[in-house]
Amino acid sequence: MGETLSIIPLGGVEEIGLNSTVFEYAGDIIMVDAGLMFPEEDMLGVDFVIPDFSYLLENREKVRGIVITHGHEDHTGGLPFLLKELDVPVYGTPLTIGLIREKLAEHHLEHIRLIAVRPRDVIKLGAFTVEFVRVTHSIVDGVGLGITTPLGRVVHTGDFKLDPTPVDGQLMDFHKFSEYGETGTLLMLSDSTNAEKGGFTFSEKEVRRAFEDIFSKAQGRIIIATFASNIHRIQQAIDVAVMFGRKVILCGKSIVSNTQIALDLGYLKIPANTWLRLEDLNKLKDEEVVIITTGSQGEPMSVLSRIATGEHKSIQIRDGDTVILSAKIIPGNERSIGKIINHLFRRGANVIYEKVSEIHVSGHGSKEELKLMLNMVRPRYFMPVHGEYRHLRYHAMLAEKTVVPWENIFILENGEVLEISDTGARKNGAVSSGRVFIDGKGMGDVEDMVLRDRRRLAHDGIVLVLIAVEKVSGAIVSGPDIMSRGFIFEDTSPEVMNDVKALVTDTLRQMDKEMITDSSLLQAKVRSTLKKYLRNTMERRPMIMPIIVEV
Amino acid sequence: MGETLSIIPLGGVEEIGLNSTVFEYAGDIIMVDAGLMFPEEDMLGVDFVIPDFSYLLENREKVRGIVITHGHEDHTGGLPFLLKELDVPVYGTPLTIGLIREKLAEHHLEHIRLIAVRPRDVIKLGAFTVEFVRVTHSIVDGVGLGITTPLGRVVHTGDFKLDPTPVDGQLMDFHKFSEYGETGTLLMLSDSTNAEKGGFTFSEKEVRRAFEDIFSKAQGRIIIATFASNIHRIQQAIDVAVMFGRKVILCGKSIVSNTQIALDLGYLKIPANTWLRLEDLNKLKDEEVVIITTGSQGEPMSVLSRIATGEHKSIQIRDGDTVILSAKIIPGNERSIGKIINHLFRRGANVIYEKVSEIHVSGHGSKEELKLMLNMVRPRYFMPVHGEYRHLRYHAMLAEKTVVPWENIFILENGEVLEISDTGARKNGAVSSGRVFIDGKGMGDVEDMVLRDRRRLAHDGIVLVLIAVEKVSGAIVSGPDIMSRGFIFEDTSPEVMNDVKALVTDTLRQMDKEMITDSSLLQAKVRSTLKKYLRNTMERRPMIMPIIVEV
């Protein structure tokens, strides 16, 4: 029996985000993408999440390189943390590499080899030959991959939509994907993000119509918030600004740096005297201004958020301003975005957002596009990726409707191994995997236990019971003193605090010397008594922390 | 100068929920609705929110009654808390009163007078004459109000849509609203929930088509999750079940009690031998079963949630089951609902939800319906209610486009007073208002300070520093001991704990006896030193609580 090919998603098949897939054949490993995810609500105080990359670190001598499909953070954001511990080359198209270079510099990882390739370039990484294939998506310079292995070809679509009229005129490379179908494909991994959505996703150019409509009516300044990486969206905003005789001011670190990178690499075209600095704002008349910025998700520290709450140094909203939120509302962010919109309206702006106008289109293909890709590549095996289970499931149903029999479709969980050999494909065990929570500067990861504590603290607060005990005699020399945080406010609910104090005093009185001098027994007794009392009388479950001082 | 009419929203004009509006003329006050709101994400550990009703309590001798437009919790949920402190009669249609009776019984408020009225009934409450006018909404028996005051008529639409084909055949009372327009209306307050949405809201009957389509394809059991109060939706599910020869099992306390109330009052028709008990489930074949339940918002303790995670005693998902989430996804709940859907798919169910099928329609009118209402009633003054600022603003723009000049439109904040006299209408000051957070059994409200603490604890946890000091000499007899919860886990990050301990020890060494024996000085010093250190080295801001024990 010959060697086997293993495909192992370390992230991206149980969530939107964390996209990272390992390919292993004999002594060689490559990984496609190394993404992060922004935290869910119950991950309190976590800044972001990355996959557990320990499988790569345990097999470090086999890793030939990391191939990145495009420059979005859910495909690149894990790189700094991985590359700190694993010095391997990273491959991607020029804009992707440009964005990664910027990010690695922030983490002092300038020594990593970054190799820029062009669509249709072919590179050899151990047993794998990787061909880059242009796709259209909400960031320019995205690619899918044709990966030739000794057992056959694997196609990874990356994130894609079939935009028939892309802003830069660079169509998806249908011909290459067709060739993959014609010459035979063993396995396809494909983007499931929009597998629930019927029909076709609109072309990015549709947004231009909405922009033109809004610009033609706007009397005052126009402020557009979008993702810093959406170069096409920025290009369209600039084009329409020029059309209506307006200047463009970019505001925010990431949008300025991304725009500069895209401009330097030729992915963005800005006519002379169009891009002005923020300092020039007051030299312009209102009807000459377009400000492009970030903060479309209601992020509290973003430029848009500071503008909305009146905390921005240079930009104050006034009557006649038009604010356009030109981005998808990421699920979970509805309320914070809603608040920003309310603030902007209150300050006098006219606010235009997804719900009331067509100022955003998705970057991911809907059902008809996914079926077209399946029919074009017609793989023997199919593995939906990039989504939660429901998205993968819907995508699997599309695959079955088109070209792949159900038994040849594999929905994996993170860490599970899809093994392909001469005799077929099957799931075969799992490698260590999981999520790593990054907090603050990332100096310490957040442990699960810490998160559990935070959830508990967040829900009902903490009650401290302080008792000082004379070590030998077991006499109570001080306390019980009751303190709380996030529970009932001590000053306004003294009666509750008094009840609790009386209860603990009573409990102590009933304990004998042996128990009192055993501080862990004493702690346990105080905790259980108090827990029961607060649950029964108030239906609350604060964290209870008895502190015993032995003197 | 004569008396003035004051209109004071205590809730519902800065949020979806909390709907409560006070009307005051001379010595008489009535309030329309007394709603609650479910907490936002940053209201940690809060079960729900009600308006601050203190204005009513301070003027208790003037309050003639509370008039309720319909039985949804965002219009009735504040009643138990208000009626505990204020014994006034409550007026509403029979189903509304039935639902309120059930709720008040839970709070042992059976002594409150509940008066059931019919549409077109007229009641007199002090200076106010209130006429009830049928509207269509996502709960049966909803009404708007025509309130005659000495200064003219005020129309309050309640929550409404213009359903041309309501399930119970009871159309909105267009004729009465037209009469109000014909005979003159001073002020209208109208539902703004869907003021952002273009066009018309679909009829509730459209859902029947989707149900029929799903039922015709389903092989196994069908489980439908919806709101317990959506009697029309439940009726349609039952009708389609009968059509396809299925029996209906209701599962969950609220849905059983609401259905029973609606059935008793004649608002729901269930053919004999159709409603079976949960115990009968196993006697039926899969293709004979429809289970109707709650939990469409992903609430963790709901029946649907327990079914999805395999924790329900009687209902286990199996291959062939179809689960329909027939309800709006309330913003903020997307992620928890998404998780339920994933779980159900994993267990083998086919899951149908808003995103993939038309199994829900809104109960609130869209732009065209709002404009029609404005044109029909053509009030002199207009006050949009039921929404966040952006909804009110959009509604105001619709009013201006139709019949009300901009200067006659008033967007109020909670507590603000709209004062109308012979000489016109104007905002005039504000009464005390705000939000009251209810936690647990509602024995103690949650103070703002407690919430702030919870947010802080949730984000970075708490660090305790325990120091025992000899009162007279200032000698440190024990400590510093460092403990933490929700910060860095002590066992896995001993080095951080050791660093902190060394820092505090060092700080103590540099302090003289005077400072050490002043426990508040000592606390302040330890707190500021540690705060600075953790911020600089780790970018974290845990709550720091130095505990000084004097022995």
Side-chain angles (χ1 to χ4, degrees), chain A residues 45 47-48 81 84 106-107 437-446, chain B residues 460 533-541:
Chain A
D47 291 320
F48 51 90
F81 301 91
K84 253 171 214 168
E106 286 170 20
H107 289 261
F437 303 119
I438 307 286
D439 183 7
K441 275 185 180 164
M443 289 188 51
D445 309 336
V446 184
Chain B
D460 276 332
Y533 173 76
L534 294 174
R535 200 185 51 215
N536 289 346
T537 59
M538 312 175 63
E539 285 191 7
R540 296 193 194 191
R541 290 166 182 76

Side-chain angles (χ1 to χ4, degrees), chain A residues 340-466:
Chain A
I340 300 266
I341 294 171
N342 289 333
H343 282 307
L344 291 166
F345 264 128
R346 275 211 191 89
R347 289 175 187 275
N350 182 25
V351 193
I352 295 162
Y353 42 104
E354 204 182 1
K355 210 165 176 181
V356 299
S357 174
E358 303 294 328
I359 35 62
H360 176 66
V361 298
S362 173
H364 301 272
S366 303
K367 284 184 180 177
E368 296 308 315
E369 290 151 278
L370 301 180
K371 285 191 268 183
L372 214 149
M373 183 61 97
L374 280 156
N375 283 328
M376 202 149 47
V377 179
R378 48 183 184 199
R380 182 152 158 216
Y381 301 108
F382 179 62
M383 176 177 156
V385 293
H386 304 177
E388 299 174 17
Y389 188 82
R390 60 192 160 123
H391 305 108
L392 307 185
R393 174 77 184 221
Y394 267 97
H395 204 175
M397 295 193 283
L398 295 178
E400 194 201 14
K401 263 190 211 163
T402 50
V403 288
V404 191
W406 191 251
E407 63 274 17
N408 283 2
I409 299 172
F410 296 90
I411 299 183
L412 270 70
E413 298 196 352
N414 292 333
E416 278 196 308
V417 180
L418 176 65
E419 197 177 83
I420 304 183
S421 68
D422 289 337
T423 58
R426 60 179 188 130
K427 287 194 199 180
N428 187 12
V431 307
S432 71
S433 71
R435 294 174 173 188
V436 178
F437 303 119
I438 307 286
D439 183 7
K441 275 185 180 164
M443 289 188 51
D445 309 336
V446 184
E447 302 284 328
D448 251 7
M449 178 100 175
V450 169
L451 269 190
R452 264 203 302 280
D453 280 352
R454 283 184 188 171
R455 277 194 282 264
R456 185 93 174 282
L457 290 166
H459 196 271
D460 275 333
I462 186 168
V463 174
L464 303 167
V465 183
L466 185 63

Side-chain angles (χ1 to χ4, degrees), chain A residues 40 196 335 353 486-487, chain B residues 40 196 335 353 450 454 486:
Chain A
E40 302 179 6
E196 291 168 315
R335 286 196 178 176
Y353 42 104
F487 184 58
Chain B
E40 302 180 6
E196 290 167 316
R335 286 194 181 179
Y353 41 105
V450 169
R454 286 184 186 171

